[in-house]
Amino acid sequence: MAVVTGAARGIGAAIARRLAEDGYDVAALDLDEGACEETAAAVTGCGRRSVAVGADVGDEVAVTRAVERIAAELGPPVALVNNAGIQRDRILSRMTVTEWESVMAVHLRGAFLMCRETQRHMREAMWGRIVNISSTAALGNVGQVNYSAAKAGLQGLTRTLAMELGRHNITVNAVAPGFTITDMTRGTAARVGIDFDEMVASQVSQIAVGRAGEPQDIAQAVSFFLDPRSGFVSGQVLYVAGGPRG
Ligand code: NAP
């Protein structure tokens, strides 16, 4: 079975649905358990088992309890997608320590805790799959020094865990999306006071394939890494951005 964090909406919800179509039972984890019900229902609609779990991925106790509950209800989690994310954009001179730390807590501490708690089950099973959701922002993006550092950090975490866990038959990879239409990008437009359609048009003008990403585009890449047949691919970062990156 697979755990997807940040699964209530956007990219995480699409990943959860896609993994169910691929044959995984899926635990949909997000801050608010109730917000995950729709995703859990979509998973069961695909004929797979699901559980909606409320937990803050940056909270050690909450993560430990959540993984214990998932293992008890759905069996050992042998696949993990660290997708939960937030943005707290600001140029460096105005960024507060809280804005810096809250982004680190979700992306980096969250991925670290989720990996640490689930890998115990993967090692026991002698099989596992982990995918971390990075971003093209890892390559640098004005106003996102916190987010960019966190997303680049996830790439380092990915490569190191691929080395540490490989001998247990566990692969660890990262998917780095480009501009994808979700509540997160809608929120960015609202924050900076730009009409969303204008923002999309401006982004699309810089994307080789001439369109914005959809959550399903990212789910497609995650599906590849979680496929049992992808066991010889580990420690990789796949940019899913409609053109070359990285
Ligand atoms: P989204 O629509 O904002 O969804 C993110 C989800 O993560 C939300 O349901 C959010 O819950 C949840 N979350 C936030 N903090 C959490 C925490 N501490 N514990 C558990 N869940 C938490 O964002 P998205 O666009 O689908 O993004 C998904 C991932 O892709 C993120 O890691 C993001 O950085 C990455 N990404 C997105 C894009 C893009 O263009 N959309 C591009 C590159 C990378 P609440 O709603 O309750 O806050």
Side-chain angles (χ1 to χ4, degrees):
M1 65 85 40
V3 186
V4 181
T5 72
R9 55 194 169 96
I11 292 170
I15 291 170
R17 274 189 219 107
R18 174 58 189 267
L19 295 183
E21 287 165 14
D22 291 348
Y24 276 101
D25 293 334
V26 182
L29 185 151
D30 209 289
L31 279 172
D32 176 21
E33 181 170 325
C36 294
E37 294 293 354
E38 200 179 320
T39 304
V43 170
T44 52
C46 295
R48 307 306 311 184
R49 294 185 309 143
S50 187
V51 61
V53 182
D56 176 349
V57 294
D59 177 334
E60 184 174 18
V61 174
V63 166
T64 306
R65 282 194 189 134
V67 173
E68 276 170 9
R69 182 184 155 201
I70 290 164
E73 293 189 24
L74 288 185
V78 290
L80 166 68
V81 183
N82 284 309
N83 166 81
I86 59 167
Q87 293 183 326
R88 297 290 181 267
D89 299 355
R90 194 99 55 190
I91 55 165
L92 175 66
S93 56
R94 294 195 190 145
M95 187 171 288
T96 65
V97 170
T98 304
E99 286 163 344
W100 173 269
E101 287 186 344
S102 55
V103 167
M104 294 302 154
V106 180
H107 296 273
L108 281 181
R109 192 163 68 218
F112 154 67
L113 290 171
M114 289 299 304
C115 286
R116 195 184 66 181
E117 294 312 305
T118 56
Q119 58 89 33
R120 304 178 202 284
H121 297 281
M122 298 181 198
R123 286 166 71 148
E124 240 176 78
M126 271 306 285
W127 193 89
R129 296 277 185 269
I130 297 173
V131 172
N132 298 309
I133 304 299
S134 177
S135 169
T136 50
L139 302 167
N141 205 19
V142 172
Q144 293 195 315
V145 70
N146 49 0
Y147 184 78
S148 164
K151 291 305 199 184
L154 277 176
Q155 296 188 9
L157 179 144
T158 297
R159 278 189 281 266
T160 298
L161 284 189
M163 291 171 185
E164 287 190 12
L165 298 176
R167 66 197 174 92
H168 302 288
N169 205 19
I170 300 167
T171 66
V172 188
N173 292 286
V175 170
F179 182 79
T180 307
I181 294 180
T182 68
D183 289 347
M184 183 178 273
T185 38
R186 284 181 205 285
T188 305
R191 261 196 321 277
V192 295
I194 306 173
D195 175 68
F196 187 60
D197 291 339
E198 270 176 40
M199 182 193 226
V200 172
S202 152
Q203 291 285 334
V204 166
S205 70
Q206 298 162 51
I207 298 174
V209 300
R211 69 171 177 88
E214 297 286 345
Q216 293 79 359
D217 294 313
I218 314 308
Q220 166 70 15
V222 173
S223 167
F224 165 73
F225 285 128
L226 260 63
D227 189 311
R229 293 164 291 188
S230 300
F232 203 52
V233 184
S234 195
Q236 302 304 303
V237 179
L238 178 59
Y239 282 88
V240 181
R245 294 285 196 286

